[in-house]
Protein backbone atom coordinates (compact mmCIF):
# COMPACT_ATOMS: atom_id res chain seq x y z
CA UNK A 1 0.00 0.00 0.00
CA UNK A 2 1.68 3.25 -1.14
CA UNK A 3 -1.24 5.52 -0.23
CA UNK A 4 -4.33 5.46 1.98
CA UNK A 5 -7.06 7.32 0.10
CA UNK A 6 -10.10 5.00 0.18
CA UNK A 7 -11.58 1.99 1.96
CA UNK A 8 -12.85 0.64 -1.38
CA UNK A 9 -10.85 -2.24 -2.73
CA UNK A 10 -9.09 -3.19 0.52
CA UNK A 11 -9.54 -6.87 1.27
CA UNK A 12 -11.06 -8.13 4.53
CA UNK A 13 -7.76 -9.57 5.78
CA UNK A 14 -5.92 -6.30 5.00
CA UNK A 15 -8.52 -4.29 6.89
CA UNK A 16 -8.47 -6.68 9.84
CA UNK A 17 -4.69 -6.61 9.99
CA UNK A 18 -4.70 -2.80 9.98
CA UNK A 19 -7.40 -2.68 12.68
CA UNK A 20 -5.47 -5.14 14.86
CA UNK A 21 -2.22 -3.26 14.31
CA UNK A 22 -3.87 0.04 15.34
CA UNK A 23 -5.40 -1.67 18.36
CA UNK A 24 -1.99 -3.02 19.34
CA UNK A 25 -0.46 0.44 19.01
CA UNK A 26 -3.24 1.84 21.21
CA UNK A 27 -2.23 -0.66 23.92
CA UNK A 28 1.54 -0.89 23.60
CA UNK A 29 2.71 1.99 21.44
CA UNK A 30 5.25 1.48 18.68
CA UNK A 31 8.88 2.34 17.97
CA UNK A 32 9.33 5.79 16.40
CA UNK A 33 11.09 6.10 13.05
CA UNK A 34 14.86 5.88 13.37
CA UNK A 35 15.56 8.43 10.60
CA UNK A 36 14.46 12.01 10.14
CA UNK A 37 11.03 11.94 8.49
CA UNK A 38 8.84 14.86 7.41
CA UNK A 39 5.04 14.98 7.21
CA UNK A 40 3.15 17.74 5.36
CA UNK A 41 -0.40 18.25 6.60
CA UNK A 42 -2.38 20.16 3.95
CA UNK A 43 -5.74 21.06 5.43
CA UNK A 44 -7.87 23.18 3.08
CA UNK A 45 -11.00 22.61 5.19
CA UNK A 46 -11.46 23.17 8.93
CA UNK A 47 -10.62 20.29 11.26
CA UNK A 48 -9.96 19.76 14.94
CA UNK A 49 -9.84 15.98 15.50
CA UNK A 50 -8.30 14.76 12.26
CA UNK A 51 -5.64 17.45 11.98
CA UNK A 52 -4.58 17.40 15.62
CA UNK A 53 -4.59 13.63 15.94
CA UNK A 54 -2.40 13.40 12.84
CA UNK A 55 0.01 15.85 14.50
CA UNK A 56 0.05 13.81 17.73
CA UNK A 57 0.47 10.56 15.77
CA UNK A 58 3.33 12.02 13.72
CA UNK A 59 5.12 13.44 16.77
CA UNK A 60 4.76 10.14 18.62
CA UNK A 61 6.41 8.53 15.61
CA UNK A 62 9.26 11.04 15.84
CA UNK A 63 8.29 12.85 12.62
CA UNK A 64 8.87 16.52 11.87
CA UNK A 65 5.51 18.13 11.08
CA UNK A 66 5.46 20.70 8.29
CA UNK A 67 2.31 22.58 9.14
CA UNK A 68 0.54 24.50 6.44
CA UNK A 69 -2.00 27.30 6.68
CA UNK A 70 -3.77 28.00 3.39
CA UNK A 71 -4.22 31.72 4.01
CA UNK A 72 -0.48 32.17 4.64
CA UNK A 73 0.60 30.02 1.70
CA UNK A 74 1.14 30.66 -2.01
CA UNK A 75 -2.34 29.23 -2.61
CA UNK A 76 -3.37 32.89 -2.02
CA UNK A 77 -1.26 33.78 -5.10
CA UNK A 78 -3.09 31.24 -7.22
CA UNK A 79 -0.78 28.23 -6.85
CA UNK A 80 -2.57 24.98 -7.62
CA UNK A 81 -3.01 22.10 -5.19
CA UNK A 82 -0.82 19.90 -7.37
CA UNK A 83 2.00 22.49 -7.42
CA UNK A 84 1.66 22.95 -3.67
CA UNK A 85 1.87 19.21 -3.02
CA UNK A 86 4.71 18.82 -5.53
CA UNK A 87 6.58 21.61 -3.69
CA UNK A 88 6.37 19.67 -0.42
CA UNK A 89 7.59 16.57 -2.22
CA UNK A 90 10.52 18.56 -3.68
CA UNK A 91 11.64 19.98 -0.35
CA UNK A 92 11.73 16.57 1.27
CA UNK A 93 8.34 15.70 2.73
CA UNK A 94 8.04 11.93 3.10
CA UNK A 95 4.26 11.96 3.33
CA UNK A 96 1.32 14.21 2.47
CA UNK A 97 -1.93 14.29 4.45
CA UNK A 98 -4.66 16.21 2.67
CA UNK A 99 -8.16 17.41 3.53
CA UNK A 100 -9.94 19.25 0.75
CA UNK A 101 -13.49 19.98 -0.39
CA UNK A 102 -12.84 18.43 -3.82
CA UNK A 103 -13.91 14.81 -4.12
CA UNK A 104 -11.14 12.47 -5.33
CA UNK A 105 -8.35 15.04 -4.88
CA UNK A 106 -6.33 12.69 -2.66
CA UNK A 107 -6.60 9.88 -5.21
CA UNK A 108 -5.49 12.23 -8.00
CA UNK A 109 -2.47 13.45 -6.01
CA UNK A 110 -1.58 9.87 -5.09
CA UNK A 111 -1.37 9.07 -8.80
CA UNK A 112 0.75 12.15 -9.51
CA UNK A 113 3.25 12.06 -6.63
CA UNK A 114 6.02 9.64 -5.73
CA UNK A 115 5.52 10.14 -1.99
CA UNK A 116 2.53 8.60 -0.15
CA UNK A 117 -0.75 10.51 0.18
CA UNK A 118 -3.28 10.02 2.99
CA UNK A 119 -6.86 11.19 2.51
CA UNK A 120 -8.00 13.15 5.59
CA UNK A 121 -11.43 13.81 4.00
CA UNK A 122 -12.24 14.78 0.39
CA UNK A 123 -15.55 16.63 0.13
CA UNK A 124 -18.42 14.16 0.04
CA UNK A 125 -16.00 11.44 -1.09
CA UNK A 126 -14.28 9.45 1.63
CA UNK A 127 -12.76 9.73 5.09
CA UNK A 128 -10.81 6.47 5.37
CA UNK A 129 -8.79 7.32 8.50
CA UNK A 130 -12.05 8.13 10.33
CA UNK A 131 -13.35 4.78 9.15
CA UNK A 132 -10.29 2.97 10.49
CA UNK A 133 -10.64 4.56 13.93
CA UNK A 134 -14.34 3.64 13.92
CA UNK A 135 -13.42 0.05 13.08
CA UNK A 136 -10.85 -0.03 15.89
CA UNK A 137 -13.50 1.22 18.33
CA UNK A 138 -15.97 -1.46 17.20
CA UNK A 139 -13.26 -4.16 17.35
CA UNK A 140 -12.35 -3.20 20.93
CA UNK A 141 -15.97 -3.77 21.87
CA UNK A 142 -16.90 -6.92 19.95
CA UNK A 143 -13.52 -8.44 18.91
CA UNK A 144 -14.92 -9.31 15.47
CA UNK A 145 -17.14 -7.85 12.75
CA UNK A 146 -18.97 -10.72 11.00
CA UNK A 147 -22.71 -10.59 11.61
CA UNK A 148 -22.68 -7.35 13.61
CA UNK A 149 -25.65 -5.14 12.82
CA UNK A 150 -24.46 -1.60 12.16
CA UNK A 151 -26.86 1.25 11.41
CA UNK A 152 -25.48 4.45 9.86
CA UNK A 153 -27.89 7.26 10.70
CA UNK A 154 -28.38 10.79 9.45
CA UNK A 155 -27.07 12.87 6.56
CA UNK A 156 -25.96 9.92 4.43
CA UNK A 157 -25.92 11.78 1.11
CA UNK A 158 -23.29 14.34 2.12
CA UNK A 159 -21.22 12.14 4.42
CA UNK A 160 -17.76 10.88 3.46
CA UNK A 161 -17.73 8.99 6.76
CA UNK A 162 -20.82 7.05 5.64
CA UNK A 163 -19.24 6.23 2.28
CA UNK A 164 -15.97 4.91 3.77
CA UNK A 165 -17.73 2.98 6.53
CA UNK A 166 -20.36 1.48 4.23
CA UNK A 167 -17.54 0.02 2.12
CA UNK A 168 -15.39 -1.11 5.06
CA UNK A 169 -18.15 -2.63 7.20
CA UNK A 170 -19.62 -4.51 4.24
CA UNK A 171 -16.19 -5.94 3.39
CA UNK A 172 -15.79 -7.02 7.01
CA UNK A 173 -19.07 -8.96 6.94
CA UNK A 174 -21.30 -6.66 9.00
CA UNK A 175 -25.01 -6.30 8.21
CA UNK A 176 -25.16 -2.59 7.39
CA UNK A 177 -28.37 -0.55 7.40
CA UNK A 178 -29.02 3.14 6.76
CA UNK A 179 -31.56 5.51 8.26
CA UNK A 180 -32.34 9.19 7.87
CA UNK A 181 -34.61 11.72 6.21
CA UNK A 182 -35.48 10.83 2.62
CA UNK A 183 -33.93 13.99 1.11
CA UNK A 184 -30.54 12.74 2.34
CA UNK A 185 -30.75 9.16 1.15
CA UNK A 186 -27.99 7.91 -1.15
CA UNK A 187 -29.16 4.91 -3.13
CA UNK A 188 -25.76 4.47 -4.77
CA UNK A 189 -24.61 2.83 -1.52
CA UNK A 190 -26.94 -0.08 -2.28
CA UNK A 191 -27.82 -0.69 1.36
CA UNK A 192 -31.29 -1.07 2.94
CA UNK A 193 -32.99 1.88 4.67
CA UNK A 194 -34.91 1.32 7.88
CA UNK A 195 -36.77 3.70 10.22
CA UNK A 196 -35.01 5.22 13.24
CA UNK A 197 -37.40 3.25 15.47
CA UNK A 198 -36.25 0.02 13.84
CA UNK A 199 -32.63 1.22 13.90
CA UNK A 200 -32.39 1.61 17.67
CA UNK A 201 -33.83 -1.87 18.23
CA UNK A 202 -31.67 -3.49 15.53
CA UNK A 203 -28.24 -1.96 16.00
CA UNK A 204 -25.28 -3.46 17.80
CA UNK A 205 -23.53 -0.29 16.65
CA UNK A 206 -25.48 2.89 16.00
CA UNK A 207 -23.27 5.23 14.00
CA UNK A 208 -24.73 8.74 14.00
CA UNK A 209 -23.56 11.31 11.44
CA UNK A 210 -23.15 15.07 11.63
CA UNK A 211 -25.51 17.11 9.46
CA UNK A 212 -23.10 18.46 6.80
CA UNK A 213 -24.72 21.85 6.27
CA UNK A 214 -21.63 23.19 4.50
CA UNK A 215 -22.20 20.67 1.69
CA UNK A 216 -25.94 21.12 1.21
CA UNK A 217 -26.93 22.45 -2.21
CA UNK A 218 -30.60 22.71 -1.28
CA UNK A 219 -30.99 24.11 2.20
CA UNK A 220 -33.55 21.94 3.97
CA UNK A 221 -35.30 23.96 6.67
CA UNK A 222 -34.72 22.16 9.93
CA UNK A 223 -36.32 22.71 13.25
CA UNK A 224 -33.72 21.25 15.62
CA UNK A 225 -36.19 19.82 18.12
CA UNK A 226 -38.36 18.22 15.48
CA UNK A 227 -35.28 16.79 13.70
CA UNK A 228 -34.18 15.18 16.96
CA UNK A 229 -37.64 13.77 17.55
CA UNK A 230 -38.08 12.46 13.99
CA UNK A 231 -34.59 11.30 13.00
CA UNK A 232 -32.19 11.77 15.90
CA UNK A 233 -31.28 9.79 19.00
CA UNK A 234 -33.56 10.98 21.77
CA UNK A 235 -33.32 9.69 25.34
CA UNK A 236 -36.52 7.69 24.76
CA UNK A 237 -35.01 5.97 21.71
CA UNK A 238 -31.71 5.28 23.47
CA UNK A 239 -33.64 3.33 26.12
CA UNK A 240 -34.86 0.95 23.40
CA UNK A 241 -31.34 0.02 22.28
CA UNK A 242 -29.94 -3.46 22.95
CA UNK A 243 -28.15 -3.78 26.28
CA UNK A 244 -24.72 -4.20 24.70
CA UNK A 245 -25.21 -1.72 21.82
CA UNK A 246 -22.84 1.21 21.43
CA UNK A 247 -23.18 4.69 19.94
CA UNK A 248 -20.59 6.21 17.61
CA UNK A 249 -20.43 9.69 16.07
CA UNK A 250 -17.43 11.07 14.12
CA UNK A 251 -17.98 14.50 15.75
CA UNK A 252 -18.22 17.40 15.97
CA UNK A 253 -21.67 16.65 17.37
CA UNK A 254 -24.55 19.08 16.86
CA UNK A 255 -25.80 18.57 20.40
CA UNK A 256 -29.58 18.40 20.62
CA UNK A 257 -29.91 17.75 16.87
CA UNK A 258 -28.35 14.43 15.86
CA UNK A 259 -28.56 13.27 19.46
CA UNK A 260 -29.77 14.50 22.81
CA UNK A 261 -26.90 16.35 24.48
CA UNK A 262 -27.24 14.13 27.57
CA UNK A 263 -26.30 11.08 25.50
CA UNK A 264 -22.96 12.38 24.20
CA UNK A 265 -21.14 10.92 27.21
CA UNK A 266 -23.66 8.27 28.27
CA UNK A 267 -22.50 4.73 29.16
CA UNK A 268 -22.93 3.35 25.67
CA UNK A 269 -21.36 6.33 23.89
CA UNK A 270 -17.87 5.71 22.50
CA UNK A 271 -17.51 9.18 20.95
CA UNK A 272 -14.44 10.28 22.93
CA UNK A 273 -12.99 6.76 22.68
CA UNK A 274 -13.19 7.17 18.91
CA UNK A 275 -11.11 10.36 19.15
CA UNK A 276 -8.59 8.60 21.38
CA UNK A 277 -8.34 5.75 18.87
CA UNK A 278 -7.80 8.27 16.10
CA UNK A 279 -4.18 8.74 17.16
CA UNK A 280 -3.32 5.02 17.12
CA UNK A 281 -5.23 4.49 13.86
CA UNK A 282 -3.24 7.27 12.17
CA UNK A 283 0.03 5.97 13.63
CA UNK A 284 -0.79 2.53 12.21
CA UNK A 285 -1.48 3.93 8.75
CA UNK A 286 1.69 6.05 8.68
CA UNK A 287 3.86 3.21 10.02
CA UNK A 288 2.34 0.85 7.53
CA UNK A 289 2.87 3.12 4.56
CA UNK A 290 6.38 4.31 5.41
CA UNK A 291 7.72 1.01 6.78
CA UNK A 292 6.41 -1.28 4.10
CA UNK A 293 7.29 0.82 1.09
CA UNK A 294 4.04 -0.08 -0.60
CA UNK A 295 3.96 -3.74 0.37
CA UNK A 296 1.41 -4.41 3.07
CA UNK A 297 0.41 -7.95 3.92
CA UNK A 298 -0.34 -10.24 6.83
CA UNK A 299 3.18 -11.64 6.91
CA UNK A 300 4.56 -8.16 7.45
CA UNK A 301 1.89 -7.50 10.04
CA UNK A 302 2.89 -10.63 11.97
CA UNK A 303 6.53 -9.59 11.83
CA UNK A 304 5.57 -6.21 13.21
CA UNK A 305 3.53 -7.83 15.97
CA UNK A 306 6.60 -9.79 17.00
CA UNK A 307 8.64 -6.59 16.90
CA UNK A 308 6.17 -4.58 18.95
CA UNK A 309 5.32 -7.33 21.39
N1 LIG B 1 -14.40 13.67 12.61
C1 LIG B 1 -13.72 14.64 12.00
O1 LIG B 1 -13.26 14.50 10.85
O2 LIG B 1 -13.57 15.77 12.76
P1 LIG B 1 -12.77 17.07 12.33
O3 LIG B 1 -13.52 17.72 11.18
O4 LIG B 1 -12.72 17.93 13.54
O5 LIG B 1 -11.42 16.64 11.85
Amino acid sequence: MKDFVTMQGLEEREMLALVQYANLISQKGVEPFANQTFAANLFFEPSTRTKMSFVVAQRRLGMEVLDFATDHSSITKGESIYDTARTFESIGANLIVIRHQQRNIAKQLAEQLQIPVINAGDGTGEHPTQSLLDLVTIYQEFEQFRGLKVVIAGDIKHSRVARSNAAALTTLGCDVFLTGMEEWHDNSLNLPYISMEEAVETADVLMLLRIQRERHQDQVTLDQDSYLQKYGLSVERERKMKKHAIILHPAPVNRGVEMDSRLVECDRSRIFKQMENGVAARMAIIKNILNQGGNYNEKNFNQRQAFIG
Side-chain angles (χ1 to χ4, degrees), residues 269-289:
S269 168
R270 298 292 179 271
I271 295 173
F272 287 94
K273 189 70 189 169
Q274 285 172 271
M275 296 178 206
E276 186 186 322
N277 285 333
V279 176
R282 286 161 181 134
M283 287 170 79
I285 293 161
I286 294 170
K287 264 282 188 182
N288 173 257
I289 283 176

Side-chain angles (χ1 to χ4, degrees), residues 55-73:
V55 171
V56 173
Q58 290 156 349
R59 293 202 174 139
R60 284 199 184 152
L61 290 172
M63 301 180 81
E64 312 268 351
V65 182
L66 305 173
D67 206 1
F68 169 83
T70 334
D71 51 351
H72 291 281
S73 76

Side-chain angles (χ1 to χ4, degrees), residues 46-51 99 127 130 250-252:
S47 169
T48 299
R49 274 147 289 273
T50 311
K51 183 173 178 181
R99 169 170 288 196
H127 197 348
Q130 175 71 43

Side-chain angles (χ1 to χ4, degrees), residues 191-258:
L191 290 168
Y193 281 88
I194 58 177
S195 69
M196 190 60 176
E197 298 308 333
E198 211 183 326
V200 290
E201 290 172 10
T202 302
D204 299 304
V205 178
L206 180 61
M207 184 179 286
L208 302 169
L209 300 171
R210 181 175 69 84
I211 298 174
Q212 309 265 306
R213 282 187 181 280
E214 71 275 25
R215 303 190 202 290
H216 292 180
Q217 306 276 325
D218 311 312
Q219 288 297 331
V220 178
T221 312
L222 284 180
D223 170 64
Q224 297 198 352
D225 287 341
S226 74
Y227 181 88
L228 178 67
Q229 293 313 319
K230 276 191 193 159
Y231 306 104
L233 186 64
S234 60
V235 170
E236 295 71 32
R237 285 202 180 108
E238 185 271 339
R239 288 195 188 118
K240 294 180 187 160
M241 291 178 72
K242 293 178 189 169
K243 198 163 173 246
H244 64 262
I246 59 167
I247 300 164
L248 303 184
H249 189 306
V253 178
N254 290 307
R255 285 175 179 257
V257 184
E258 293 117 20

